[in-house]
Amino acid sequence: MQSVLFWSSYFLVILSQFSFLYAAPADSQCPNSNLDITGGRYILSKLYNDGSILRYICPEGFYPHPVKKRECDRGQWFPKVSTRPPVCKKVTCPNPNVLENGVVQPFNKVYSVNDTTTYRCHSDYTFRGSPTRVCQANGKWSGGTPICSRNTDHCPDPGTPPGASRQGHIFNIDDKVTYTCDKGLKLIGSKVRVCQDGGYWSGKEPECYADFTYDTPGEVAEAFSSSLKTTVTLHEESGQAGKKIRLDQGGRLDIYIALDASDSIDEKDFNKAKEVIKKLITKISYYEVSPNYEIIIFATDVTKIVSITDYKRGNATKLVDILTLLDRYKYDDKGQKTGTNIRKAYEAILASISFEKENKAAFNKTQHVIIMFTDGIANMGGNPKPVVEEIKQTIYRGDQKKWEEYLDMYAFGVGSDVEKEKIDEWVTKRENGEKFFFVLPDMNKVGETLDEMIDESTSVSLCGLYKDYYDLEIKSSMRLTYPWLIQIKITHDNGQSNCIGSLVTPRFILTAAHCFRFDDSPERILLSAPNAKDTRSLEVERFEPHPEYNTRKKEAVGISEYYEYDVALIQLKKSVKVSPDLRTICIPCTMETNGALQLSANDATCEKHKEVLLNSDLVKANFITLNSEKSKKTPKQNVQIRQGQQRDECIQQAEKILNINKETAKDMITENFLCTGGPSKNYIDDVTCKGDSGGPTFVEKNRLIQLGIISWGLNDTCLTGGEPAETRDFHTNLFSPKVQDFLKKYLGNETIDTPLHFL
Ligand SMILES: *[C@@H]1O[C@H](CO)[C@@H](O)[C@H](O)[C@H]1NC(C)=O
Ligand SMILES: *[C@@H]1O[C@H](CO)[C@@H](O)[C@H](O)[C@H]1NC(C)=O
Ligand SMILES: *[C@@H]1O[C@H](CO)[C@@H](O)[C@H](O)[C@H]1NC(C)=O
Ligand SMILES: *[C@@H]1O[C@H](CO)[C@@H](O)[C@H](O)[C@H]1NC(C)=O
Ligand SMILES: *[C@@H]1O[C@H](CO)[C@@H](O)[C@H](O)[C@H]1NC(C)=O
């Protein structure tokens, strides 16, 4: 799917079917001399062999001229450049001297990277937009379009973006303005805008893109995530005009992702593109919705990796399933098919949407999102535009308002060959200026975009997010893996305690009650977040142990130390600012965790959480140790929460080691404790040591969810050198009704900022 002309790519496809008949001519190599570009370099797709593509690469802020690529065809490079050797030219920005009723300084004929311009209105006119703009390396001006207007009409003066000219100077209801871009520039956005009743313009402000103009990952991340967020968040977002809640409870979200795998996207790019899809759906999984997915990979033909109908039938409803299916699909699976049939990809999506429409009563409550990744040259199958129109009509025949509300069509144009104007015709254009079409130079930049979006999601207060997910290259740092980890040092009248806590809301830290003594005062509790960049200490307002925590409660029955309800909360003087390296862990039986588990409103019960999270006799869980010896390898320790017979065995071990009878053991280890430790098959649980107290025992289920608090163990093997397989550890059970009551009283207190919503 090179930029070969329409007919020639067709010819290539035909040829490839018969290519086994011919041996490649031995002399088809192209020369390796006279290929250099002044100020840049080049890369080759197949060395000097026939069909190889040579691509010129310039440093940031420069672009190759007069050609950006050449192709080796029967021993010669085309196009020929003997009269105009290629050079890297400085990127220029579109002409800003289109401001009406104002002055642009300085006046240049051409504006290049780093040139600064300032804008001023004539008297009697009011200024809007950016008074200073700098020409950026991606060929766009910083800031927003400057406008000088009198604001006397129904709609505000829509201005004229740089590089454009505008017809239409009256801005009352139903008046039109029409835009064109200067020669050589492509118009992205709305060519025609109409002044609406509500005092705003239809469509999206146009932008004039040169061949070398790109969006920056930062720009795309901001625009794409704010747009997507409206779709994937259940909560109402206040303010912003034109934004609406498109997904109410009970509504459904169908997401179609189509990925171009034609030849110009080589194997490396293809694998990157798969990573991009993985990142995207992982990111969406952070939100409270559980979308249905269809994932399509296309070249000459279309392959459905996941179909929305299967998805709804329950074949592959888990994130991991999709990721596995994606991993399994290899570059070569698409065969020797070199064409790019974008139309066919949209046809496949249309077929799925039509099928859903016939079969689903809830169709009219379904939000549809289409995300297309392509390098943008449709060289076979014809123009996709009519199919895109048919998709709109299928969503809601004849009612533009409805399809605009229920359909979001995004496109990412990737690479230097993107046909911007064409792709722009396939995306949604909404009056609120939301952007649906993005132009990026390569798949790396798309990846960067999504990374930035992942950071951006920190503004959403979601619990249990961490970055150690799947194989997304961020593994190295513990910092982002345990962002809720809090180190607690308490100075008592005699001695000191070291404990661990977990941030459960921006204002509260959950830990063990036994870390404290009655004479402790808030000033003597020293907190730090070892993984946060901002290491300022967190100031304690107060601490609250569970009211029923009393180590001497069962002295009368021969239990000298008793640790039931070993739970305490520390309230901070000020809420922490949530960031990627400092954020909360989820706790069960809250609406927040219901979202994390991707459970529906019907399943929002504590019992359901227990069923999902404690779903076997051996539940894989983790805790964190800060013990310097043990944490050398990794601070993350592996245990299994033991239930049923496995739990009975725990209690028997307690009888043995503590030399107590069955009754006493049962009295000591009530249902309010979780048990870990001991062998199972060929694996021995890690064990807790002094200093691990108060830390969370957590499971990984989409996000990190805390189920217990480390309380006590049969033997501190770090101290005694005892056998790890022999000891057992006990954790305060967060599902315990009385623990829940305690947590709810403080963490659910609506008058303290960011309370949790308990079920
Ligand atoms: C623009 O300015 C930056 C910062 O001063 C500089 O690093 C860069 O090289 C400049 N770009 C061009 C194309 O001159
Ligand atoms: C889903 O299940 C159906 C019926 O069992 C099967 O035909 C189809 O291939 C499955 N799809 C996937 C993606 O596993
Ligand atoms: C959806 O369709 C049902 C049945 O056809 C109809 O009763 C309902 O009003 C529709 N809802 C919307 C929001 O159009
Ligand atoms: C812990 O294990 C060590 C070594 O086996 C042993 O000497 C000690 O008595 C044990 N402690 C308890 C409380 O059982
Ligand atoms: C909730 O917080 C407010 C403000 O700190 C406090 O006055 C009130 O006592 C709290 N309620 C409970 C049940 O702790």
Side-chain angles (χ1 to χ4, degrees), residues 478 482-487 500-503 528-531 624 626 696:
M478 159 156 166
Y482 315 113
W484 33 259
L485 189 68
I486 305 290
Q487 214 168 352
I500 293 179
S502 55
L503 193 68
S528 60
N531 300 326
I624 300 296
L626 294 176

Side-chain angles (χ1 to χ4, degrees), residues 516-528:
F516 301 95
R517 295 189 196 158
F518 289 112
D519 55 9
D520 288 336
S521 60
E523 310 82 68
R524 289 165 148 204
I525 303 172
L526 207 62
L527 301 178
S528 60

